[in-house]
Amino acid sequence: MDQSKKNVSASTCEPVPYTIRLARRMNQHDPKRFPNNPCPRCNGSGWLVVYALEDPAGGKGFQGQLTHCPVCYDRIHATKNRLASGLPEELKDKTLNNFTYAESWQRQALEAAVSFAKNPEGLLFLGGQSGCGKSHLAAGIIYYVARSGSQPPLYYSWPELLAAVRRTSRNWKADDIRDTLKDCRAVVVLDDFLAAPNGHPATAALETAFEIVSARTANHRPTVIVSPYAAEKIKALYSVLYKKIERAAGDRLISIDPDESKDFTIKRALA
């Protein structure tokens, strides 16, 4: 068969340009190549190829153009941002929507997290009893911001952050992670803030915390602090750091008093 007859449109009886055929092929769902693809329009890429019957530039041939897939671009965009944030695997399914509450203090923490997620400015402090869902709320904020923002939020576990600071301090050629965090415009989540095995952070850890928090609050960078210590504990550890946090957080300072009955990790283990 003549090659030209293979690419003939039945409606126009004219050869179909290559760019149009390519666009149709890229937009066509192929279950063999993409068995887990949830979107039949764009093969899960988040993009569609559109084509015009005329070249607006007046050149030869037909022009193809990429456009966002209205079905799944936002979902894929959010997934990429969340993966880039550094959120650990154990928190990947935690969202603000699946955070359940039964007590007034839980509702207060959720409302503060939702308020920050919708308007990520200043500082949100979630501190106190371990296992009560603070990291869940922080992960939910990352999920929400990843969907709505163009810049991926960043997640740091405090012990891992201190380890990175020690590594860069021994290598003068390496970029200091503290300098990166001080003026980073993205939402930064500091989980397990000031956590220490004996409950007493080292002086170097307190100085690093003050350096980062002071710079971010001075530059009005959106920050979420999740700490195993209530606000009063941090005040006793380093009053100047506490004042920085209190001033920046305002009514978004959520301090949960230590109470083992609020530790849901223990309840789930015993269930």
Side-chain angles (χ1 to χ4, degrees):
M1 181 183 295
D2 188 355
Q3 182 66 26
S4 62
K5 293 183 180 180
K6 293 182 180 181
N7 302 322
V8 173
S9 172
S11 59
T12 62
C13 295
E14 295 180 357
V16 179
Y18 171 76
T19 52
I20 295 182
R21 290 186 283 115
L22 178 63
R24 289 175 178 171
R25 187 167 66 249
M26 291 184 66
N27 295 343
Q28 184 178 5
H29 178 51
D30 187 348
K32 293 183 179 180
R33 293 181 59 197
F34 306 99
N36 299 320
N37 170 40
C39 179
R41 294 194 62 185
C42 69
N43 286 324
S45 66
W47 297 91
L48 288 174
V49 179
V50 296
Y51 45 85
L53 296 179
E54 295 182 1
D55 183 359
K60 296 181 179 179
F62 290 69
Q63 300 299 304
Q65 183 179 0
L66 287 175
T67 185
H68 294 167
C69 173
V71 177
C72 65
Y73 176 81
D74 289 342
R75 173 183 56 79
I76 294 176
H77 177 71
T79 301
K80 289 181 178 179
N81 278 354
R82 188 165 49 166
L83 291 174
S85 70
L87 194 67
E89 188 73 14
E90 62 184 8
L91 296 176
K92 70 174 185 177
D93 297 326
K94 308 298 184 182
T95 68
L96 296 176
N97 289 333
N98 62 26
F99 180 85
T100 57
Y101 63 90
E103 305 290 339
S104 59
W105 60 270
Q106 293 174 304
R107 180 171 183 172
Q108 183 185 10
L110 176 60
E111 289 176 348
V114 170
S115 173
F116 183 90
K118 292 182 177 180
N119 184 27
E121 295 180 353
L123 187 144
L124 169 65
F125 177 84
L126 299 170
Q129 176 63 46
S130 298
C132 64
K134 303 186 303 295
S135 294
H136 182 144
L137 291 174
I141 291 172
I142 286 181
Y143 181 85
Y144 188 96
V145 174
R147 290 182 58 187
S148 57
S150 58
Q151 190 169 11
L154 299 176
Y155 173 94
Y156 289 95
S157 169
W158 185 253
E160 294 177 358
L161 177 61
L162 290 181
V165 169
R166 288 193 292 269
R167 287 194 298 270
T168 55
S169 63
R170 291 193 295 265
N171 183 4
W172 62 272
K173 293 183 179 180
D175 294 332
D176 195 328
I177 192 171
R178 288 170 293 188
D179 295 335
T180 302
L181 289 177
K182 285 178 187 177
D183 197 38
C184 175
R185 295 180 180 273
V187 173
V188 170
V189 174
L190 301 176
D191 200 4
D192 289 329
F193 185 70
L194 294 179
N198 57 2
H200 298 283
T203 301
L206 291 171
E207 291 175 350
T208 298
F210 179 78
E211 184 179 353
I212 294 174
V213 172
S214 179
R216 289 194 64 80
T217 54
N219 294 324
H220 304 287
R221 302 303 185 224
T223 309
V224 178
I225 293 178
V226 180
S227 178
Y229 306 133
E232 290 299 319
K233 172 72 171 179
I234 294 181
K235 185 177 181 180
L237 290 171
Y238 199 166
S239 60
V240 180
L241 172 61
Y242 167 77
K243 290 178 181 178
K244 289 280 186 183
I245 294 174
E246 181 186 36
R247 189 180 302 114
D251 59 357
R252 289 177 174 174
L253 190 149
I254 307 299
S255 184
I256 303 166
D257 296 331
D259 184 351
E260 289 189 359
S261 65
K262 299 176 181 178
D263 189 342
F264 296 101
T265 56
I266 296 178
K267 291 182 179 180
R268 284 193 293 268
L270 296 177

